[in-house]
Structures are given as C-alpha cells and as structure tokens.
Amino acid sequence: MVLETAPKLPVIDLSREDLKPGTSSWRSACNDIRLALEEYGSFVAVYDKLLASDFRKKVFDALEELFDLPQETKMKNVNPKPAHGYMGKISVLPLHEGMGIEYATNLEECEKFTKLMWPQGNHQFSEIAHTYANIVAELQQLVMRLLFESYGIEKHYESHKGSTTYLLRFLKYRKSQTDRTNLAFKGHTDKSFVSILHSNHVKGLELRIKDGDQWLYFDPSPTSFVVIAGDVCMAWSNDRIQSCYHRVIVDGEEVRYALGMFAFLNGTIQTPEELIDDEHPLQYKPFDHQELLRFYQSSTAQNKGDRNMMKVYCGV
Ligand SMILES: O=C(O)CCC(=O)C(=O)O
Ligand SMILES: [Fe+2]
C-alpha cells in the first residue's frame, strides 16, 4: 500500500538557464544529485527538452502506433540479452508489453528496428526514437557529470561517457480483463548503471527508498523524468549509492505508455580509488557489464530477485 504520509522523491530542476559549470546553481545541483542518489537511489529530474514543437505528443502517438502492430510483428524485436527485446504476452507479465532498441542513440539502430516493424518504411518513427534517445542521453550525461563532479572525480567523467551505451525501451501497461493482479512489473532493481523513465499522464511507477518498506508513487508530468540508480552504479560507487527497488501497478482503465533509457558500460568497471577509504573499504571486484547480464540471465528466478546479486557476482 502506498501511504498518504509517504515522503516524496526529491525533485531536481535540470532545465534552469543558469545551470552552467562553475555557477552556484551548478554546485547545488551537484550536491542535490549526490544526496538524492545516496539517500533515495532515485530522484525526479525536471527537464523540458521534450516540449519543443509538440515533440512529446509525437513520442506518445508513435508508441501507440507501435504497440498497435500485430503481435507477430512485435515479436520480431528479438535480443538475447535480458529485457532487451520484445516482452509481452509471451512472458509472465500479462499486463506489460515492452520492446527495445539497443544503441538507440545511433540513427542506424533506430532505422533497423523501424524496418523490422514497418518493412514498408516509417521514417517518422525512426526519427522520433532517435531524437528521443539523444535528448534523454543528454540528460543522463548531465546527471553523470554533476555526480562525478560532486565526488571530485570529474577527471573520470569523459571516459565514463565514452563507454556508455543506451538501450531505449518502449513500454505499455494496461489492466488485465482476466487477471486479478494489478502488479504489471514486479519489484526489481535495474541491471543498468542508471535508468531514466518517462511516462504519459497515467500513474503506476512506485519506488522504495533505501532500507524502507514504504512505496513512494511517482506522479507523472510532461517535464518529469525519474532517474533510478541501477545495480552497476551501486557497485561502482562502493555502496555509497543503493540501487532503487521499483515496480509498476496498473489500477485504472487508462493505458500507461512509458519509455525507459538504460545506460550500460563497455569495458571493465571498477570503483574509482577516490571512493575507497577507511570508512568505505572496497566492496566489489572489477567486473564487466555484459558478463553481469549473462550471469543474471543464467540465474534462477529466485536469484534474479536477490537484492544481494551484485555481492554474489563480484563482491570482495
Ligand atoms: O514503466 C516504468 O516506469 C518502469 C519500467 C521498469 O522498471 C523497467 O523497464 O525496468
Ligand atoms: Fe526497472
């Protein structure tokens, strides 16, 4: 149950004109982001870049058009990595359908996906997916830059940015006519470094803050993006940041459309030495993100849900 008295997620405005390196608003954004991620594993970023030229409406119209395609077409979105390709009626989540474009900041990848869905072509869709992916990648990079700077490790930021790739997922949720459950996406932590979620006006995303047993609900708005720390960020940060446990509930009759941008890293991931000290002894050995995904994939359903999976995989 979501308690009426539940605290709200921190909200951080990243659209401000004066948010420039070296300014006091930049320094306070650095601080706010680190505190939010350390205390909540998540925050709401206010970012207005979808609003220009009615672009946000085009995004959700495109999602509707995509999910209206026949089931056998959507099932052509195949990717062996976990939660990268089509998930839907074939999965154990009857209320949830998802599709994904890996490396979505590249136009060719968006075109490849579009060609699978619309062999006759749909130039507009690939443009929209590509533009959306790049807007949200820019937001993710801003968040990372602020976070690295607040830890005093800005010298590592460019290489981090250079090794980041993005999976864009399109999500649709609706109330089931037959099932009694309203749990559309069961509680989990993401295997990404960070994830950025955006949805239409329909509520559903709930998040649990560190060590708490209360669910906080997210109230969507056209300029709100939920930034969620994934398990990889938790290991990288030496447990300073806890990955955020979250789920999706569908209650009403309205269809919920959402988009998730998941950041993954190439190459070996290790905790920067600046984040290791007497108070924070090293918790995780260096690891590879793709191998972590394979480990996750080969785990039993029970281990997949284990909050200690990172410790089992690469704990010191
Ligand atoms: O639909 C959402 O807002 C959340 C989706 C999600 O948690 C995921 O795809 O990992
Ligand atoms: Fe998730």
Side-chain angles (χ1 to χ4, degrees):
M1 187 177 99
V2 179
L3 300 176
E4 282 305 313
T5 53
K8 290 260 183 241
L9 280 181
V11 178
I12 304 177
D13 185 357
L14 297 177
S15 285
R16 298 171 56 148
E17 281 292 312
D18 61 348
L19 191 62
K20 299 271 163 19
T23 60
S24 60
S25 13
W26 183 269
R27 280 189 296 277
S28 48
C30 284
N31 222 24
D32 292 349
I33 283 183
R34 184 165 55 80
L35 284 179
L37 289 176
E38 290 185 350
E39 287 305 311
Y40 292 77
S42 175
F43 65 92
V44 176
V46 175
Y47 201 61
D48 60 10
K49 299 281 188 302
L50 294 185
L51 301 186
S53 323
D54 223 9
F55 180 66
R56 184 170 181 272
K57 177 171 178 345
K58 291 182 189 144
V59 170
F60 287 105
D61 287 349
L63 248 68
E64 198 171 332
E65 191 188 348
L66 174 67
F67 284 108
D68 282 347
L69 288 170
Q71 179 83 0
E72 55 285 10
T73 308
K74 292 185 278 191
M75 285 172 73
K76 290 187 183 149
N77 176 217
V78 175
N79 189 319
K81 295 179 192 172
H84 276 53
Y86 180 72
M87 280 165 75
K89 298 197 178 85
I90 50 168
S91 81
V92 291
L93 301 162
L95 317 182
H96 160 224
E97 252 183 305
M99 308 175 78
I101 306 181
E102 200 176 8
Y103 313 121
T105 48
N106 299 342
L107 181 59
E108 308 79 68
E109 296 298 328
C110 294
E111 286 172 346
K112 227 161 54 189
F113 173 86
T114 306
K115 189 107 187 84
L116 267 183
M117 296 299 117
W118 291 277
Q120 72 283 14
N122 184 344
H123 178 64
Q124 204 190 351
F125 186 91
S126 53
E127 278 289 319
I128 289 171
H130 179 243
T131 305
Y132 180 88
N134 281 281
I135 289 173
V136 182
E138 221 171 85
L139 169 61
Q140 189 269 350
Q141 287 159 16
L142 175 59
V143 169
M144 287 300 108
R145 193 169 162 194
L146 292 160
L147 180 68
F148 275 55
E149 208 169 304
S150 87
Y151 279 129
I153 54 168
E154 51 274 29
K155 67 173 188 210
H156 299 305
Y157 169 70
E158 283 301 327
S159 78
H160 176 89
K161 177 178 161 189
S163 52
T164 303
T165 65
Y166 298 94
L167 165 72
L168 173 60
R169 281 189 72 70
F170 308 111
L171 302 151
K172 176 179 180 177
Y173 302 86
R174 82 204 110 177
K175 203 167 134 184
S176 164
Q177 302 307 318
T178 49
D179 287 274
R180 253 188 259 141
T181 176
N182 59 3
L183 182 62
F185 205 136
K186 68 176 187 193
H188 65 284
T189 55
D190 289 350
K191 307 299 155 229
S192 57
F193 194 90
V194 290
S195 313
I196 300 192
L197 304 167
H198 183 70
S199 77
N200 68 353
H201 63 284
V202 181
K203 286 185 192 155
L205 177 63
E206 297 182 358
L207 310 102
R208 212 142 78 178
I209 50 174
K210 191 162 93 175
D211 309 326
D213 51 9
Q214 283 181 24
W215 290 100
L216 304 194
Y217 66 86
F218 165 62
D219 211 352
S221 97
T223 53
S224 295
F225 293 78
V226 184
V227 179
I228 287 182
D231 287 349
V232 171
C233 181
M234 175 172 79
W236 168 87
S237 73
N238 211 11
D239 280 344
R240 287 163 196 260
I241 295 171
Q242 293 294 309
S243 50
C244 175
Y245 196 69
H246 55 285
R247 68 178 184 187
V248 179
I249 300 286
V250 281
D251 264 339
E253 295 303 324
E254 283 187 294
V255 176
R256 176 172 183 270
Y257 288 103
L259 300 105
M261 263 290 264
F262 301 89
F264 293 90
L265 294 178
N266 284 323
T268 305
I269 300 169
Q270 62 185 78
T271 301
E273 60 186 41
E274 294 85 343
L275 300 187
I276 307 164
D277 55 30
D278 290 346
E279 227 181 290
H280 304 91
L282 182 67
Q283 300 294 320
Y284 301 91
K285 296 179 218 142
F287 64 98
D288 180 278
H289 208 152
Q290 295 305 321
E291 271 172 32
L292 166 69
L293 294 186
R294 283 191 282 276
F295 175 81
Y296 173 78
Q297 183 93 311
S298 63
S299 303
T300 59
Q302 194 187 350
N303 290 346
K304 277 190 172 120
D306 184 354
R307 297 235 44 200
N308 261 331
M309 202 194 78
M310 283 313 287
K311 282 265 153 51
V312 174
Y313 177 59
C314 62
V316 166

